[in-house]
Amino acid sequence: MNLPQEVRYRPYQEWTEDQFLQIKNKVAQSPWHANYHSEPQTGLLNDPNGFSYFDGKYHLFYQNWPYGAAHGLKQWVHMTSEDLVHFEESGTKLLPDHVNDAQGAYSGSAYAVDDKLFLFYTGNVRDQNWVRDPRQIGAYMTKDGQIEKCSQVLISQPEDVTEHFRDPQIFKYQEHFYAIVGAQNHEQKGFIKLYKAVANDVENWKFVADLDLGRQASEYMVECPNLVFVNEKPILIYSPQGLSKDELNYDNIYPNTYQIFDTFDPEKGQLIGDAPLQNLDFGFEAYATQAFNSPDGRALAVSWIGLPDVDYPTDDYDYQGALSLVKELTIKDGVLYQKPVSAMSNLQGQAQILEEKNTTTNSYHLQVTIPAQSQKELLLMADAYGNGFAIAADTVTGTLTLDRSKTKHGFAEAYGTKRSCQIPKEDVTLNIYVDQSIIEVFVNDGQAVLTSRYFPENGASAILMPKGKVDGHYYEMR
């Protein structure tokens, strides 16, 4: 959505109650509201932020401009959950109300420190010529949701980076606090800076090194870097903007990627091991994934179901964006597996056998098996004319393909209408979560993941099988 800069960066207090009520009424008219995914109450939802565990609950914020489906003066909206499935907004917001975040509270992370949740984020500050001064800053949230911001800048823009310096992730390794920050050098190449907290004081950081990833950067910027550990192996998740397609095959405007390393040397700033760059998600929409190590030992991740610089059909209703299901990360045979947390099963109704034609609520979990040496297709959210979101599984060639070309609500078509990934040439299981306009496909319990949006016309909700019967069942989701 194209809106003038003076609208997008208008201070919140200058918006009237009537203007906000008009926006809320417009959002309410949308036919595509999700049932079990988190969406913004109004305006834009983009990056998940501050994913953490504190005071007996999981905490998750989302970045938000509340006055339309555009990138403007950002805040963080706070949610909590006890099961990683039901997230409720608390009413707490990290507002752009300080000299160090005057043009927006940009992305960052969180970690429980003593009896408060420390929020580490980028303050977007612009001068009168609209030149950006990115500031890595902090705040503390109390157990009752009160936020107090640190007065000082915690990490200032280094001399060797451009104004593109953002998205700090705080994590603990060998009992010390570290932070990584995405950056761009003056040769317009993306990289990551590593910092260590002096005496474990999260308000006092010293530079360690430019993180050595074992590859030469072809991207012009690294966004949303996250370092998590699975069975002591470091996994770096990040969004490299402008990555060369000679280095990784991808179709989206920007990819979401990961590398699995053997070890992490925090003193030298090295991630060690033969770690190829791989796609985190093979679908149309997944970006800015945020992951952290929960105190129970799990590595948990959540993504923005959306992409920068892309317009969506919901823009017409003054909102955009959603968050993915929370996924638990594991490693099998050198491959990162991403599986929805087990509590998702609590939303499921009775199992229903998949027939040749099924009419649903567009809010379900579908489980199917594709036999070896077969070619099967599912058409989801289908109408009477054969329009719908197509999932074609071919265990002869070992390919899974998504096709959203048959729609009246096309978008981002400059980047193609199909996505595919490799699957084994043997029996394959698909777990597919459909939620009104959201599709998350998990191959073989998370061996590959494909996250996408598709906007059906007039509530079209059938499941069809254009290439013969597919064995499986589905559960309507509460």
Side-chain angles (χ1 to χ4, degrees):
M1 179 182 285
N2 292 318
L3 292 172
Q5 181 178 298
E6 60 269 21
V7 173
R8 292 183 291 113
Y9 287 87
R10 181 185 299 165
Y12 289 8
Q13 62 269 24
E14 292 183 10
W15 291 85
T16 68
E17 283 189 29
D18 280 349
Q19 287 173 318
F20 191 57
L21 186 61
Q22 287 177 8
I23 292 167
K24 287 185 75 172
N25 288 340
K26 202 168 180 184
V27 172
Q29 294 168 23
S30 168
W32 298 305
H33 284 300
N35 181 26
Y36 58 93
H37 287 76
S38 296
E39 290 184 316
Q41 291 193 17
T42 63
L44 179 88
L45 175 155
N46 59 314
D47 299 6
N49 292 152
F51 196 17
S52 54
Y53 188 82
F54 167 63
D55 191 31
K57 288 180 286 196
Y58 291 95
H59 296 256
L60 178 60
F61 298 78
Y62 63 83
Q63 206 175 99
N64 171 243
W65 183 58
Y67 300 106
H71 293 269
L73 185 59
K74 301 285 183 66
Q75 63 178 354
W76 287 17
V77 176
H78 178 238
M79 304 187 295
T80 62
S81 176
E82 293 185 356
D83 62 1
L84 295 166
V85 172
H86 299 86
F87 282 91
E88 293 186 7
E89 292 191 11
S90 70
T92 295
K93 293 172 181 175
L94 180 71
L95 294 165
D97 59 3
H98 191 277
V99 65
N100 288 331
D101 59 17
Q103 278 72 49
Y106 276 20
S107 287
S109 54
Y111 205 100
V113 176
D114 298 327
D115 62 345
K116 295 177 182 176
L117 186 64
F118 176 67
L119 312 179
F120 200 10
Y121 67 106
T122 300
N124 185 37
V125 178
R126 301 272 193 169
D127 67 13
Q128 62 271 27
N129 297 317
W130 209 244
V131 175
R132 179 187 283 131
D133 174 13
R135 302 175 183 184
Q136 313 315 314
I137 55 179
Y140 294 93
M141 188 181 78
T142 63
K143 292 177 181 179
D144 61 357
Q146 299 300 307
I147 290 180
E148 182 180 347
K149 296 185 178 180
C150 303
S151 59
Q152 78 278 22
V153 176
L154 304 186
I155 302 175
S156 299
Q157 179 182 348
E159 290 184 359
D160 62 341
V161 307
T162 69
E163 64 172 25
H164 296 291
F165 180 57
R166 55 183 175 268
D167 311 338
Q169 186 222 0
I170 181 173
F171 62 97
K172 214 166 194 178
Y173 185 71
Q174 296 176 345
E175 299 307 310
H176 293 282
F177 280 119
Y178 293 90
I180 52 176
V181 187
Q184 179 192 69
N185 66 25
H186 293 291
E187 288 71 49
Q188 269 73 53
K189 294 296 182 185
F191 67 113
I192 298 169
K193 285 193 167 288
L194 173 68
Y195 296 85
K196 184 178 182 178
V198 177
N200 263 358
D201 176 5
V202 295
E203 295 184 43
N204 188 0
W205 295 89
K206 69 173 183 180
F207 174 66
V208 176
D210 295 338
L211 199 60
D212 182 356
L213 314 184
R215 53 174 285 268
Q216 292 295 313
S218 61
E219 63 269 25
Y220 60 75
M221 177 61 189
V222 170
E223 290 200 308
C224 306
N226 281 252
L227 189 60
V228 292
F229 298 86
V230 175
N231 300 332
E232 299 186 0
K233 283 187 177 289
I235 302 174
L236 185 71
I237 296 172
Y238 56 110
S239 299
Q241 293 189 323
L243 181 76
S244 169
K245 294 188 179 181
D246 291 335
E247 191 171 357
L248 184 72
N249 184 29
Y250 67 96
D251 293 310
N252 294 341
I253 182 172
Y254 307 121
N256 207 176
T257 64
Y258 76 92
Q259 291 175 266
I260 301 175
F261 296 89
D262 294 326
T263 55
F264 173 47
D265 183 339
E267 300 306 313
K268 295 181 180 177
Q270 283 185 311
L271 287 162
I272 301 160
D274 180 20
L277 187 65
Q278 301 186 66
N279 279 302
L280 185 69
D281 193 292
F282 293 92
F284 292 92
E285 268 89 26
Y287 196 73
T289 297
Q290 183 154 104
F292 85 107
N293 282 105
S294 175
D296 62 11
R298 291 183 295 173
L300 302 168
V302 63
S303 303
W304 170 26
I305 305 180
L307 286 164
D309 308 322
V310 171
D311 296 329
Y312 289 85
T314 56
D315 292 6
D316 293 339
Y317 298 95
D318 281 346
Y319 79 106
Q320 184 194 117
L323 295 180
S324 73
L325 303 179
V326 176
K327 292 156 281 194
E328 183 176 353
L329 308 181
T330 55
I331 299 173
K332 296 179 187 176
D333 301 322
V335 175
L336 183 66
Y337 278 66
Q338 307 168 69
K339 187 176 180 179
V341 293
S342 58
M344 281 304 301
S345 62
N346 296 336
L347 298 185
Q348 295 178 174
Q350 292 293 316
Q352 301 184 57
I353 299 296
L354 205 54
E355 307 291 351
E356 292 278 351
K357 180 178 180 181
N358 312 263
T359 303
T360 73
T361 61
N362 276 349
S363 178
Y364 56 86
H365 170 203
L366 172 62
Q367 290 181 315
V368 298
T369 300
I370 310 298
Q373 295 298 305
S374 68
Q375 296 172 322
K376 299 290 185 181
E377 186 174 327
L378 292 164
L379 197 63
L380 310 182
M381 295 184 276
D383 63 19
Y385 306 101
N387 300 311
F389 185 87
I391 302 176
D394 186 336
T395 52
V396 178
T397 62
T399 308
L400 183 77
T401 302
L402 309 182
D403 185 344
R404 67 177 182 194
S405 60
K406 293 183 177 180
T407 178
K408 291 184 179 179
H409 299 287
F411 61 98
E413 291 176 328
Y415 303 100
T417 58
K418 294 182 179 181
R419 295 290 183 270
S420 62
C421 71
Q422 289 183 310
I423 58 175
K425 296 179 182 179
E426 55 192 44
D427 290 3
V428 167
T429 61
L430 302 179
N431 280 273
I432 303 165
Y433 291 84
V434 172
D435 192 0
Q436 307 307 323
S437 66
I438 296 166
I439 305 100
E440 295 191 66
V441 181
F442 296 86
V443 179
N444 288 343
D445 283 333
Q447 183 179 24
V449 182
L450 304 94
T451 306
S452 304
R453 301 299 298 261
Y454 176 86
F455 297 88
E457 179 79 359
N458 298 325
S461 63
I463 303 173
L464 304 179
M465 303 173 192
K467 293 187 176 180
K469 182 81 166 64
V470 178
D471 290 329
H473 47 274
Y474 67 98
Y475 308 85
E476 299 285 0
M477 298 290 272
R478 299 188 183 95

